[in-house]
Amino acid sequence: MAASSQPHVLVARRIFPQVVERLRECFEVDDNPTDTILERSQLVERLQGKAGAFITASERIDAALLDACPDLRAVCNMAVGFNNIDVQACSARGVMATNTPGVLTETTADLGFALLMAAARRITEGERYLRQGRWTRWTYDMFIAPDVHGSTLGILGMGRIGQAIARRGALGFGMKVIYHNRTRLAPDLEAPLAARWVEKTTLLRECDHLVLVLPYSDQTHHAIGAAELALMKPAATLTNIGRGGLVDEDALAAALQAGRLAAAGLDVFEGEPHINPKLMALPNAALTPHIGSASLRTRRAMADLAAANLIAALCGQRPPSLLNPEVFGLHSR
Ligand code: 8YV
């Protein structure tokens, strides 16, 4: 049988069958319908002879992997966060790297706000209490909690998702919005939300509800640790929808346990899907399994964008969300 002239690609995880079909129109596709998590050696093996990889946050692409997979020309993440990809190593080897920004902004902001509310208003704690049959009568101070409306919302990382959360807080809940980010927003973005840029320490001291939405990197590892938590109000809450590694989970668990922080809402965890047992044991932690972008429409839009990136990259077009534009147009490695 004659070898196919189409580029060969790997789809590392189970995704929408319609998206796999679309990729099959352009490529020889090696997919993963059983959704087996590929160990590193299996990933390297499956990437032999492949020009492209459709990956998710579960697959790590670093220099050693790239060196072991010399045919690779594009790695396309079905995620906006790309801390699983060493973009510099990709660029050094002429490999295009892409992510899926924009399409998940509102859905992820919805979940962030839901977790903020669950933590602040003790929703998951109350539900567990009820399901355990412990609710026998109303008392005036049962599950008493801080208010969300009219309080101060603190946002660490004011990109697209941070701004979408700020909109929900300012326009829907009358919250005062303060934020910290490397760069200040343009005045026309700050003004409608009355959002105020503050130093990180001011943010931590002044906010009632803190939401973490900054990208994860070596620089932001444990951006919130014991010292930062100590600056926060004891009645404050912390919500993390970025990456688990932004928070020192042992320090967070200690603060929640000691009542130095009222509650936390966490969608992401440092060793996920393994969860720190100290967090598991805490009633005042609302925990969800990394579902920030998990609406059907958004997940489909993410898969479509990752596929569009892969098709463009391997068909000589500029991928719509290319992380290393300097690589575009390089054909030899
Ligand atoms: C993904 C995410 O579902 O986009 C991101 O960065 O964290 C989530 O939306 C997850 O990373 C799967 O790739």
Side-chain angles (χ1 to χ4, degrees), residues 19-276:
V19 177
V20 177
E21 284 317 305
R22 182 173 165 213
L23 291 172
R24 284 196 202 286
E25 288 166 15
C26 308
F27 307 120
E28 279 293 316
V29 177
D30 174 13
D31 65 340
N32 185 1
T34 57
D35 212 21
T36 316
I37 300 283
L38 301 173
E39 300 295 335
R40 194 176 168 77
S41 58
Q42 295 171 315
L43 185 59
V44 168
E45 197 188 311
R46 295 277 287 270
L47 282 172
Q48 295 310 302
K50 304 285 173 23
F54 183 119
I55 58 166
T56 69
S58 337
E59 289 74 46
R60 194 160 51 84
I61 305 293
D62 56 20
L65 180 134
L66 292 166
D67 288 340
C69 306
D71 299 308
L72 213 48
R73 282 165 32 216
V75 288
C76 300
N77 216 20
M78 183 180 149
V80 65
F82 53 89
N83 54 295
N84 57 317
I85 303 177
D86 183 339
V87 178
Q88 246 186 324
C90 286
S91 300
R93 291 159 182 80
V95 176
M96 285 178 264
T98 69
N99 67 339
T100 59
V103 292
L104 46 63
T105 302
E106 300 299 330
T107 299
T108 308
D110 284 347
L111 192 276
F113 216 85
L115 265 181
L116 182 163
M117 296 202 68
R121 295 302 307 273
R122 306 175 64 179
I123 291 173
T124 53
E125 187 183 357
E127 192 197 3
R128 275 194 299 275
Y129 178 86
L130 177 152
R131 285 183 188 276
Q132 288 161 1
R134 293 164 61 198
W135 183 32
T136 53
R137 62 199 174 116
W138 178 92
T139 60
Y140 84 93
D141 57 352
M142 188 172 74
F143 289 105
I144 215 128
D147 265 322
V148 173
H149 74 274
S151 63
T152 299
L153 173 61
I155 300 180
L156 189 54
M158 197 61 152
R160 294 180 194 82
I161 300 172
Q163 291 171 50
I165 289 169
R167 279 198 298 279
R168 283 157 177 74
L171 308 177
F173 289 78
M175 296 171 92
K176 181 173 132 188
V177 177
I178 54 177
Y179 73 95
H180 181 77
N181 201 43
R182 268 179 314 184
T183 46
R184 230 187 119 149
L185 290 184
D188 62 317
L189 292 175
E190 274 188 358
L193 307 171
R196 188 164 57 91
W197 184 94
V198 292
E199 293 291 349
K200 185 175 167 189
T201 49
T202 309
L203 181 82
L204 296 168
R205 282 199 183 98
E206 290 188 6
C207 73
D208 296 309
H209 303 290
L210 178 67
V211 183
L212 309 182
V213 218
L214 64 169
Y216 179 61
S217 66
D218 288 347
Q219 289 70 44
T220 59
H221 177 71
H222 287 188
I224 301 293
E228 289 74 19
L229 291 164
L231 295 175
M232 294 179 70
K233 299 176 188 175
T237 72
L238 179 152
T239 294
N240 186 8
I241 55 167
R243 286 288 181 266
L246 294 170
V247 177
D248 177 342
E249 291 177 346
D250 284 336
L252 175 63
L256 290 168
Q257 168 87 47
R260 281 184 276 108
L261 190 72
L266 306 173
D267 186 47
V268 286
F269 304 89
E270 212 165 355
E272 64 185 51
H274 170 77
I275 310 293
N276 185 324

